[in-house]
Amino acid sequence: MRRILQPFRWFWHVLWTPAGTLGLGFLTLGGFVGGVVFWGAFNTALEFTNTEGFCISCHEMRDNVYEEMSHTVHYSNRSGVRAGCPACHVPHDWTDKIARKMQASKEVWGSIFGTIDTRQEFLEHRLVMAKREWARLKANDSLECRNCHSAIAMDLGRQAPRAAEIHTKYLLSGERTCIECHQGIAHELPDMTGVDPGWTVPPELQGEVLPGMTEAEEVRSYLGQLP
């Protein structure tokens, strides 16, 4: 029995033998507690930077894109569900969120050095910034859009015929992704002169009269009265 307990006694002795001035056990425990504190502080800071208040703390965002978004259906609608800045620009999964935060560090750099400090500078850089964001969303299959919108959960029967047909043929099949058709959904578009729109109405849906709701159906849909 003594031989069995001897290794454990040796380990316990080594664990608490002073290493210079502090015991190894104390250093291990201190390292663990320090790691927990660091991890908690890191995640707290991460979540703080993931709030709308933080996003619009600089006037470049508050006076430009946020002001535009406040006049769209993403900000105010009949259901009362509002999408804030992080909902559309930051993925929910932790690893994707960290990657996005690293990308967003460029925005902090731009704010410090006043890249878009004035409205005119913002408008001059708008197309470049928009193209960068469209390309990012296209590359990740509109991951942030899917924070709230799920193709599986779509009730196609409540959509306009053209929208239902396009979603069925292109979205559900994975041939296209959200951002290709919904650019400018929450912010004003830049000057698109000479810019490839990225997606156009397919030939089978083109014509003088496009399928869609009648005026009466649009009113009923707005009032939430369609079945």
Side-chain angles (χ1 to χ4, degrees):
M1 186 64 178
R2 180 177 297 179
R3 290 183 178 180
I4 296 176
L5 294 177
Q6 188 173 359
F8 295 99
R9 290 174 178 171
W10 174 83
F11 178 75
W12 184 260
H13 176 73
V14 170
L15 189 64
W16 291 103
T17 297
T21 58
L22 298 174
L24 181 60
F26 179 83
L27 293 175
T28 302
L29 180 61
F32 175 77
V33 173
V36 171
V37 172
F38 170 79
W39 186 250
F42 176 79
N43 278 280
T44 299
L46 181 67
E47 290 307 313
F48 174 73
T49 63
N50 206 39
T51 61
E52 189 171 90
F54 178 83
C55 294
I56 62 174
S57 59
C58 61
H59 79 89
E60 293 94 334
M61 297 295 102
R62 182 183 64 249
D63 300 338
N64 292 300
V65 289
Y66 181 74
E67 176 63 24
E68 294 172 359
M69 194 267 286
S70 67
H71 299 287
T72 69
V73 71
H74 277 93
Y75 187 90
S76 178
N77 51 72
R78 67 188 183 205
S79 68
V81 177
R82 183 162 73 87
C85 307
C88 298
H89 293 281
V90 182
H92 284 182
D93 291 342
W94 196 85
T95 51
D96 294 322
K97 183 186 295 185
I98 291 297
R100 179 70 185 104
K101 292 295 183 181
M102 293 176 66
Q103 293 174 339
S105 62
K106 297 179 181 178
E107 299 167 12
V108 178
W109 180 271
S111 179
I112 293 174
F113 287 91
T115 305
I116 53 174
D117 195 50
T118 66
R119 176 67 178 175
Q120 184 59 37
E121 289 175 337
F122 171 79
L123 294 176
E124 290 173 355
H125 287 81
R126 177 166 214 150
L127 181 59
V128 173
M129 293 187 294
K131 282 184 173 180
R132 184 184 301 134
E133 190 67 359
W134 296 338
R136 186 183 68 81
L137 285 168
K138 185 175 180 179
N140 70 11
D141 194 19
S142 303
L143 184 59
E144 286 84 335
C145 299
R146 300 176 193 277
N147 283 345
C148 300
H149 300 280
S150 170
I152 297 177
M154 282 185 178
D155 186 352
L156 299 178
R158 296 177 66 89
Q159 297 181 359
R162 186 177 72 150
E165 187 169 353
I166 291 175
H167 284 152
T168 300
K169 185 172 183 178
Y170 295 97
L171 182 64
L172 299 184
S173 67
E175 185 175 341
R176 298 285 182 173
T177 189
C178 311
I179 195 60
E180 293 183 76
C181 302
H182 294 284
Q183 296 173 356
I185 193 67
H187 304 295
E188 294 178 9
L189 287 170
D191 182 0
M192 301 292 283
T193 303
V195 178
D196 184 357
W199 189 86
T200 56
V201 178
E204 63 270 22
L205 294 180
Q206 294 180 1
E208 294 182 2
V209 179
L210 292 174
M213 294 184 183
T214 64
E215 293 183 2
E217 287 175 332
E218 289 181 354
V219 172
R220 290 173 59 198
S221 175
Y222 179 78
L223 296 176
Q225 295 177 352
L226 281 181

